[in-house]
Amino acid sequence: MDINYVSSLLKEFKAGGLSLDEALEKLKILPYEDLEFAKLDHHRLLRQGFAEVVFCQGKTVAQVLAIMDRLAAYNRNILATRATPEMYEAVKNSMPDAKYHELARLIAIERQPPPADQDRVILVMSAGTSDIPVAEEAAVTAEMMGNVVRRVYDVGVAGIHRLLDQRKLIEDANVLIVVAGMEGALVSVVGGMAAKPVIAVPTSIGYGANFGGLSALLSMLNSCAAGIGVVNIDNGFGAGRLASIINHMR
Amino acid sequence: MDINYVSSLLKEFKAGGLSLDEALEKLKILPYEDLEFAKLDHHRLLRQGFAEVVFCQGKTVAQVLAIMDRLAAYNRNILATRATPEMYEAVKNSMPDAKYHELARLIAIERQPPPADQDRVILVMSAGTSDIPVAEEAAVTAEMMGNVVRRVYDVGVAGIHRLLDQRKLIEDANVLIVVAGMEGALVSVVGGMAAKPVIAVPTSIGYGANFGGLSALLSMLNSCAAGIGVVNIDNGFGAGRLASIINHMR
Amino acid sequence: MDINYVSSLLKEFKAGGLSLDEALEKLKILPYEDLEFAKLDHHRLLRQGFAEVVFCQGKTVAQVLAIMDRLAAYNRNILATRATPEMYEAVKNSMPDAKYHELARLIAIERQPPPADQDRVILVMSAGTSDIPVAEEAAVTAEMMGNVVRRVYDVGVAGIHRLLDQRKLIEDANVLIVVAGMEGALVSVVGGMAAKPVIAVPTSIGYGANFGGLSALLSMLNSCAAGIGVVNIDNGFGAGRLASIINHMR
Amino acid sequence: MDINYVSSLLKEFKAGGLSLDEALEKLKILPYEDLEFAKLDHHRLLRQGFAEVVFCQGKTVAQVLAIMDRLAAYNRNILATRATPEMYEAVKNSMPDAKYHELARLIAIERQPPPADQDRVILVMSAGTSDIPVAEEAAVTAEMMGNVVRRVYDVGVAGIHRLLDQRKLIEDANVLIVVAGMEGALVSVVGGMAAKPVIAVPTSIGYGANFGGLSALLSMLNSCAAGIGVVNIDNGFGAGRLASIINHMR
Amino acid sequence: MDINYVSSLLKEFKAGGLSLDEALEKLKILPYEDLEFAKLDHHRLLRQGFAEVVFCQGKTVAQVLAIMDRLAAYNRNILATRATPEMYEAVKNSMPDAKYHELARLIAIERQPPPADQDRVILVMSAGTSDIPVAEEAAVTAEMMGNVVRRVYDVGVAGIHRLLDQRKLIEDANVLIVVAGMEGALVSVVGGMAAKPVIAVPTSIGYGANFGGLSALLSMLNSCAAGIGVVNIDNGFGAGRLASIINHMR
Amino acid sequence: MDINYVSSLLKEFKAGGLSLDEALEKLKILPYEDLEFAKLDHHRLLRQGFAEVVFCQGKTVAQVLAIMDRLAAYNRNILATRATPEMYEAVKNSMPDAKYHELARLIAIERQPPPADQDRVILVMSAGTSDIPVAEEAAVTAEMMGNVVRRVYDVGVAGIHRLLDQRKLIEDANVLIVVAGMEGALVSVVGGMAAKPVIAVPTSIGYGANFGGLSALLSMLNSCAAGIGVVNIDNGFGAGRLASIINHMR
Amino acid sequence: MDINYVSSLLKEFKAGGLSLDEALEKLKILPYEDLEFAKLDHHRLLRQGFAEVVFCQGKTVAQVLAIMDRLAAYNRNILATRATPEMYEAVKNSMPDAKYHELARLIAIERQPPPADQDRVILVMSAGTSDIPVAEEAAVTAEMMGNVVRRVYDVGVAGIHRLLDQRKLIEDANVLIVVAGMEGALVSVVGGMAAKPVIAVPTSIGYGANFGGLSALLSMLNSCAAGIGVVNIDNGFGAGRLASIINHMR
Amino acid sequence: MDINYVSSLLKEFKAGGLSLDEALEKLKILPYEDLEFAKLDHHRLLRQGFAEVVFCQGKTVAQVLAIMDRLAAYNRNILATRATPEMYEAVKNSMPDAKYHELARLIAIERQPPPADQDRVILVMSAGTSDIPVAEEAAVTAEMMGNVVRRVYDVGVAGIHRLLDQRKLIEDANVLIVVAGMEGALVSVVGGMAAKPVIAVPTSIGYGANFGGLSALLSMLNSCAAGIGVVNIDNGFGAGRLASIINHMR
């Protein structure tokens, strides 16, 4: 981040050469910090309401550490996804308040949790026990972004009464995240039960012709229930982020 | 069919050179009629309980006509699938009692309907109205093979109460055929409701990423409910045939 | 629809045997009308906020007409998607106030347009001119469900200045629908510009290795920008419906 | 499981407020036990004739153990599929009568084997020796659900006489399970030999363009023999379950 | 073709500057005729034993006519594949002895049929009647290249006795061409019956998940019988050509 | 296009408020003309060296006409790809100097052909006659953008001498465009013959398992020869454009 | 193998009850040995000219050992493919004359090498060094089945002179096996050079969009050169077997 | 390499039997060195401007060592791609000046770096940090072939300002290499910003439905920006090579 740029910008604002709106606008768009192997978008917090999230897959431990270190200098809450235990070890040494959500493979630093509206609940549902890691990635992401999250796991449609039993929870929720592998039918049944935004997350759980989650993905895209937005296979983070954006709308 | 062969075989039987079982066995396995472009398996009726069924796709009108003509010489009930109206016109000229099921694209000649057990019902369900042509192919096939068939159409899971309302019909049925396109979720919900054989038929109905029925096919193969056998996309005939075989078991 | 059932239910309510909530609850779940080839979910209006929408593909003209006729008996606003001109002719004869959106292939009957909040705008963007039919399907759907819709077409990323020029419109919108074929990159750029719900609609526009929209679909699912929900290829209706649900949240 | 619910239900039955049928009906549909990460469907035994089966893939050892422990409290016979040796070790410690079928990767607890009709045999055939693990999963599943099972392995069609030699076994069987990898041709030949339900199980055995079992799967779906129901790739359990349901029909 | 080049080459040969072998060698490699839109490889007859074959798909009628016209100037026997009736009309006008094989879509000019060894028979088998057009493309191709061809059609494995009945024909043949759609199982059974070269031709006949012939193609590539060479889907010509090459080996 | 904006910009430049570079820079980035259904990027000529090219597929005739009409107001040379004869008729009425390249499906208006360097030749090669339409799309595109183009068609590798014979042409060329369907092997052989940029264009020509050009596409991407850039299937325009850009480098 | 059956059969022959032909015929078709997990086809030697070959993938070490042990009791030469070093260790203990071809993963026991015709050479060519393991599987297989094999490796088309240099070897060969990964273009060039049977073996060598050998497979199936038979990806054994069958034709 | 051949060739040249051009021509085409498992194309340096590059995947350590050893005898600069650390260890022992680029998995021997034109810069851009290994493979390859390379990493389109900020670098570059995984949108935005050759490299970075890089590959092939050549997934080497060829054009 070019500190000089921001300085001069702020001085100009103080001197009246920039209105408040103009200054905010400029801050929203420009600066980032260049680490050579990464360009940190420090002002994403302003533009998108949450700091840049580190996608760890394919990065070296050293890269993850350096990026989180720099993000920590400008933000109070930081999230890293698809993190290995080894990455967590390195991060914890440098930032002892980092927490590791093992199932969800998330590293989280939460120094000043954002406030959450208790009346607007995000409900995370999973079809099976095996889908829980992805569901947790979604749930923890949404919590860190300032949302109240409720979880209902293992309510797949083969035992429809388990699902119908959750009708009250579904009606009380503001946004639904539905996580399912295999044939992903849970999404269609839930989608037909309520007029709420449903975010569908296909998982790679299953075997044979599920082809790494393709079966659930195609199912969800082709759902006979309208009002469903689908994210990538196993992309709990994306679902949590989208749910949070919707949930913060006024 | 080599009529001489059968004659000598029967004479041998009469003369005591063959036991009844031996004669039946021989009749079961050997003869067929050679039309050059087709080899008619006239004794399929003995071996499989129903005459050879004509799959019309890719055949010329003349071929379909010749095959049906020869089959009619040896069988009372004949079925042709994927038949065009043009084929039907040709067949009707020669066999005026032929009937055309337009939606299902079947030509049927039924001179001596096989008896059907009224207590053993095959229930054919479709998720949507658009799936009816395939469902009808299954239903008519099963009827022609001597089964009582009930139909319940347009009970997709997006309106789960429409489906739950059919519980009584499902419990009263002996075998279930579930026909669905799009995401095919109906199969999983039905499969979880009863311990009956469920035959799942994916259809090519849908658009976008249904990829000609692939989405429904993968859904059904990956169903979280056990006890489901899947047939080919749009293969109503295969489903009707399998249901009939199961329904005739004692 | 079992009119007797509803009668007795209402009488019971009047007599005090049911509270208001109980009556609403019962009405929400049960009745539908059985046309044999279709089961009309008349109370979807109560449960989901809009009447059942007719998906015309794979249905006969007669079926579409009968369904719309019955829906018209219970609803003021009706929508049919993927309708052919031939279907529209039949519908118009029976319901002269039906309108045909030719590009979007929608039949719409709008006798009592639902009120729309002028401050909550849904912005529909298309990457190219060829994507407009799908974009219009989304836009008209959202309008019929009571939303103010703005359209910005042909702002694909190959001329990034055309897109950046729309920043004000993007910031003023409440929900974004982004329609794109080919490589669908528009979604990622828009997704990175604002913290709003982005509904991504891949189209089948393109040639060669777009494989009927697969390229845009995979692009959107794999977008590096978070906060994106994807619907099926060419599924403008689904996008309009989801956008409307989100836009009506309070 | 809500024990209070069941208590009150039973009391009501005793007091005459519920008929026997009504009580059974209610028990069939409602209760399950909530372990947070899993919702155990204890009454599946009533509804489907066999207790819930544990699909171990994607679950932690602790989860598998807890689920089996609770199931064991309510059922005499329990089955877990896709179990690792490590899971078995944990289960055996807690339930010493658990048995591990190594090839089939099944954990089985069989305290009160269900009775099996000796005259109704399920015949499990495999095309090759390498398909045996999947075939065994099917066979053991069927046995645990109360069926007599016979096995004929390595009868692939490249040596057709080995298969024709099994004609007697095929004729004596009630239901056929055919397990094959590579090109799965065994299904079509067997399907043409007898009018019995054939359950086809494609396996992932093979190399090159078998694409993880896709070649066998497509073969079986496209079989020229009618009367075949296909299950997912390597899904021996599903085949055994379906065969058992069919075999128990009267 | 550069006629001067050949002239000088031949003169040099006559004058003794080139041995016979050298002259043949040069003729084998170099000349072709340039029509701008096509480069006719007139000496393919020398190099490969048969003149260049015209693949008509994607060519205009005028191009096909011009190419055949030039080929006819240098060759006695000419073959064009995937020819439309319209192309044939144009060709017949110019070359009245051209013949059209309608089913096989071949145009053939045969002015001096090559001699065929009566003891070396190519047997062309088809699984179904619908596969005959592809089988005929193979058969006619092989005949034009100087082979005795026998045909056996409609011997699919669902009626295995029809196939076993052909054992004598199979044993008498020198090379086998097996044409099959759907699941293509015929190839594996035939491949296991004899130690002959088997050329497998998948066809696009079938429906649903045959995916344009993919099911038969994968089946044949994964055949459990060894000694099978596969050609492209519906490529009867390629099969006939390969069979002819093998059949002419000494 | 906001003509006022450009006016004021130019006035400012004249008055000295903008340097030449600044003025050019501003012109390069901002203006476009808004036709509602299309946003014409009139300054693409400055930024990319050629006016916006109209991709006609999926557009209505009226849209194509309106776009070309507006482009013609600001540019001397205009190109439209994937144009139908019907579109051409409409355009010719309004712009009589428009020319239609039927094979290549291009509409071209060339009022002031850009100069072309005679020493820098782009060589367009096709493997077969059937690939010529795509090859012509590439060739005409390159010519319109100011390049000398040479064509060599029907030099597929099955007659390698026809190809080796073109060595001189290959060596004399500056950039190579290689167009091939089926297995696309021509690219690898040409790629190994010279150290020139090779632009590979897979075509959808072929049948059976070419899967609409997938076989040639994968071949070219996996070419064992380095130095090859691949464009989309049948994308002659893209190849011509890329070749032109490379050919104009100094 | 039912030794009694063979005994009685031979006695009957001796006694004149069977002619020589009849005896051979019966021996050709019936006997095999049943190991429960495998049915050994001991008379494949008579029927197909070589003993059953063991496909080791998916079998346990104990199964491989038992099968080879039994085969060794009836045959002099035995081949096992896809064998691991661990399997070889077990086999060598029991049959010390077993040899391991490490690259090709073959176990070979050759006690009486079949005679090979020195004038009929099979030429095995590979496009790259990395394809050698598959090429060796083909070469060793052919040698064990009584053929003279020559190898030419690393002659891919990117250096076409390396390939043209082998013209003499190609002309001297009787059958060609061409092994190639990546884009597999070698097959088309070789196929155009000579009128010999070409057996094409795609390999999984390559990266990125070769998709496990799919690119080479599709290339070879779509080859513009006729006279090519393709085997499965990496299936060196199948190629060697087919080449041997062709090479033994008279 | 046949040293005698070159000797006689040169003698002939000296004696006047060959002109200089003829001698060069002959040297360009013929010689290579035969290591049995590899045929080294030593004169590729003459023909293509750089020595043969070793593709290590699928080769044994011994093979890599032997090939590099021989190449080192005739060339000053050598490159090996996809090399493991183990291969590097072996090479370093024999050639101590070998360098290992760990991220890029390249072994490089650079004894006489080729001169590079400082005014013609190749710019390598990556969308994310995780794409750097592939980007480095491209960058190092281009550097070794005599080019000045600049790198800009982590400028994906989700933060468009980071990319727009690089406009100056883009304008100063001669050739662009754009490396991106996930949805690969960076290519389209960059492609629209400048009229330079853009070489697009899809990477396998991402998860879920990126299917090993397929999403980025299809995106890039379908880019709405013209002037883009795509190489194989993760093929940094190919991109560097193509960029170098283009960059050396005059």
Side-chain angles (χ1 to χ4, degrees), chain A residues 164 167 192-193, chain B residues 155 159-167, chain C residues 1-6 8-9 12 18 22-34 39-47 52:
Chain A
L164 297 180
R167 186 173 287 141
M193 285 169 73
Chain B
V155 288
I160 194 79
H161 60 294
R162 295 183 303 196
L163 174 59
L164 297 180
D165 224 40
Q166 319 302 329
R167 184 173 289 139
Chain C
M1 191 174 65
D2 185 347
I3 206 70
N4 296 330
Y5 172 82
V6 182
S8 66
L9 197 142
E12 195 181 350
L18 284 173
E22 286 166 345
L24 279 173
E25 189 64 21
K26 277 179 190 287
L27 281 166
K28 241 178 180 171
I29 293 178
L30 284 170
Y32 56 86
E33 175 172 358
D34 198 335
K39 306 225 171 335
L40 301 186
D41 187 2
H42 288 309
H43 285 250
R44 190 167 292 193
L45 181 58
L46 268 133
R47 202 171 76 247
E52 185 159 6

Side-chain angles (χ1 to χ4, degrees), chain H residues 93-164:
Chain H
N93 276 352
S94 167
M95 288 158 277
D97 55 348
K99 243 182 75 179
Y100 191 52
H101 296 264
E102 195 176 344
L103 269 181
R105 283 178 297 156
L106 296 169
I107 303 174
I109 298 176
E110 204 170 10
R111 289 165 184 164
Q112 189 179 48
D117 183 338
Q118 300 297 319
D119 291 342
R120 299 171 80 91
V121 172
I122 294 174
L123 179 65
V124 179
M125 311 175 80
S126 90
T129 301
S130 306
D131 301 313
I132 292 181
V134 176
E136 279 297 304
E137 192 186 47
V140 175
T141 296
E143 285 171 339
M144 280 202 59
M145 291 180 176
N147 301 277
V148 175
V149 174
R150 248 171 245 155
R151 291 147 166 98
V152 183
Y153 292 157
D154 196 26
V155 288
V157 300
I160 195 80
H161 60 294
R162 295 183 301 197
L163 173 59
L164 297 180

Side-chain angles (χ1 to χ4, degrees), chain F residues 42-236:
Chain F
H42 287 311
H43 284 250
R44 191 168 291 193
L45 181 57
L46 267 132
R47 201 171 78 247
Q48 299 236 342
F50 194 82
E52 185 161 5
V53 172
V54 189
F55 172 62
C56 297
Q57 188 179 307
K59 294 195 175 70
T60 64
V61 171
Q63 288 172 338
V64 168
L65 184 58
I67 293 173
M68 293 201 71
D69 205 62
R70 295 309 301 151
L71 285 175
Y74 291 85
N75 300 279
R76 302 207 60 77
N77 304 316
I78 306 170
L79 187 60
T81 65
R82 308 279 152 150
T84 62
E86 191 193 1
M87 288 170 180
Y88 172 60
E89 286 309 315
V91 168
K92 199 177 54 177
N93 276 352
S94 166
M95 289 159 276
D97 55 347
K99 244 182 76 180
Y100 191 52
H101 295 264
E102 196 176 342
L103 269 181
R105 283 179 295 158
L106 295 170
I107 302 175
I109 298 176
E110 203 171 12
R111 291 165 183 163
Q112 190 179 46
D117 183 337
Q118 300 298 319
D119 292 342
R120 300 170 80 91
V121 172
I122 294 174
L123 180 64
V124 179
M125 312 176 80
S126 90
T129 302
S130 305
D131 301 313
I132 292 181
V134 177
E136 279 298 304
E137 192 186 47
V140 175
T141 296
E143 285 171 337
M144 279 202 60
M145 292 180 176
N147 301 277
V148 176
V149 174
R150 245 170 247 156
R151 291 148 166 97
V152 184
Y153 293 156
D154 195 27
V155 288
V157 300
I160 195 79
H161 60 294
R162 294 183 302 195
L163 174 59
L164 297 180
D165 222 41
Q166 319 301 330
R167 185 173 287 139
K168 184 70 172 53
L169 279 175
I170 292 173
E171 294 196 348
D172 289 352
N174 209 35
V175 182
L176 304 172
I177 295 176
V178 180
V179 182
M182 295 181 170
E183 92 288 43
L186 181 59
V187 164
S188 295
V189 179
V190 170
M193 285 169 73
K196 324 240 163 178
V198 174
I199 302 169
V201 193
T203 76
S204 52
I205 287 300
Y207 53 94
N210 86 323
F211 296 124
L214 184 66
S215 59
L217 173 63
L218 293 184
S219 265
M220 292 171 177
L221 287 168
N222 286 283
S223 175
C224 55
I228 291 170
V230 183
V231 298
N232 203 352
I233 297 167
D234 291 338
N235 188 4

Side-chain angles (χ1 to χ4, degrees), chain G residues 112 149 155 228 234 245:
Chain G
Q112 188 179 46
V149 174
V155 288
I228 292 169
D234 290 337
I245 291 175

